[in-house]
């Protein structure tokens, strides 16, 4: 399968403020394959693993040099401590994860670019089981100034809100 979409790009560069880099392009993205599995370990831990693959040699559209496009591969590992830790009279799960991804292009002299991410997180139930809030912080590093002449560091703060509703049967039972 494939995804085709139109992109309208507008960029501003601090050093080249007078250059107009706006353009419109149609691109074809390659299909992506994902697989994952989870294991419950001793009713205390949940271990998760996943793998992803996408062949960017099939990418079409923007004039990125085709000989520098390659396969994107990645894997992730996660661990959740299910009993959680006590905070203000409730127990909240403790989660941590690691992700490695080989990016689908070489830059600039044929060196492979990789991205590493580590994360910590937790979750809280909303009153009466009407949903939950998940919180996480993630640190990442892509590339290396020593190897690739490009390096990107990131810190992400993530918030997830999941709602649900309480259904009752006739007779007032849940």
């Amino acid at each position: 399968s494939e995804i085709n979409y139109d992109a309208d790009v507008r960029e501003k560069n601090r050093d080249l403020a007078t250059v107009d880099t706006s353009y419109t392009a149609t691109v074809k993205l390659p299909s992506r394959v994902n697989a994952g599995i989870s294991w419950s370990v001793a009713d205390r831990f949940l271990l998760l693993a996943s793998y992803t693959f996408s062949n960017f040699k099939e990418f079409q559209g923007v004039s990125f040099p085709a000989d520098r496009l390659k396969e994107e591969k990645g894997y992730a590992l996660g661990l959740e401590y299910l009993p959680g830790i006590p905070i203000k009279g409730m127990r909240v799960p403790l989660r941590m994860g690691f992700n490695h991804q080989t990016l689908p292009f070489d830059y600039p002299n044929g060196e492979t670019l990789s991205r590493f991410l580590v994360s910590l997180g937790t979750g809280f139930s909303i009153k009466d089981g009407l949903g939950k809030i998940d919180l996480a912080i993630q640190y990442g590093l892509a590339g290396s100034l020593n190897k690739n002449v490009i390096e990107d560091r990131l810190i992400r703060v993530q918030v997830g809100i999941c709602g649900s509703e309480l259904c009752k049967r006739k007779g007032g039972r849940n």
Side-chain angles (χ1 to χ4, degrees), residues 67-132:
D67 63 332
R68 290 191 19 219
L69 292 172
K70 56 197 293 180
E71 297 171 344
E72 178 184 52
K73 298 175 186 175
Y75 64 88
L77 299 171
L79 181 68
E80 181 174 10
Y81 179 58
L82 296 171
I85 56 175
I87 296 180
K88 293 192 176 189
M90 55 182 185
R91 297 193 72 83
V92 296
L94 185 60
R95 302 177 187 128
M96 58 190 232
F98 173 78
N99 181 300
H100 173 265
Q101 185 179 18
T102 302
L103 300 179
F105 53 88
D106 294 330
Y107 187 88
N109 57 357
E111 294 285 339
T112 299
L113 279 174
S114 293
R115 176 174 31 212
F116 299 91
L117 301 165
V118 292
S119 59
L120 288 173
T122 190
F124 303 91
S125 292
I126 298 174
K127 184 181 176 189
D128 297 328
L130 294 177
K132 65 184 218 172

Side-chain angles (χ1 to χ4, degrees), residues 125-133 161-167:
S125 292
I126 298 174
K127 184 181 176 189
D128 297 328
L130 294 177
K132 65 184 218 172
I133 297 174
I161 301 172
C162 178
S164 60
E165 59 185 83
L166 187 61
C167 297

Side-chain angles (χ1 to χ4, degrees), residues 9 15 36 39 52 79 128 133 138 149 164:
V9 178
D15 299 335
W39 299 273
T52 184
L79 181 68
D128 297 328
I133 297 174
Q138 190 173 58
V149 195
S164 60

Side-chain angles (χ1 to χ4, degrees), residues 12-78:
K12 291 199 187 246
N13 297 304
R14 284 180 280 176
D15 299 335
L16 305 170
T18 60
V19 176
D20 181 9
T21 58
S22 301
Y23 60 92
T24 300
T26 299
V27 298
K28 174 187 164 191
L29 294 175
S31 57
R32 178 175 297 276
V33 176
N34 297 304
I37 190 166
S38 65
W39 299 273
S40 179
V41 181
D43 294 330
R44 299 182 65 80
F45 296 96
L46 184 62
L47 181 63
L48 303 105
S50 68
Y51 177 80
T52 184
F53 172 84
S54 187
N55 187 359
F56 268 80
K57 293 177 184 177
E58 299 172 0
F59 176 83
Q60 295 176 2
V62 182
S63 61
F64 194 86
D67 63 332
R68 290 191 19 219
L69 292 172
K70 56 197 293 180
E71 297 171 344
E72 178 184 52
K73 298 175 186 175
Y75 64 88
L77 299 171

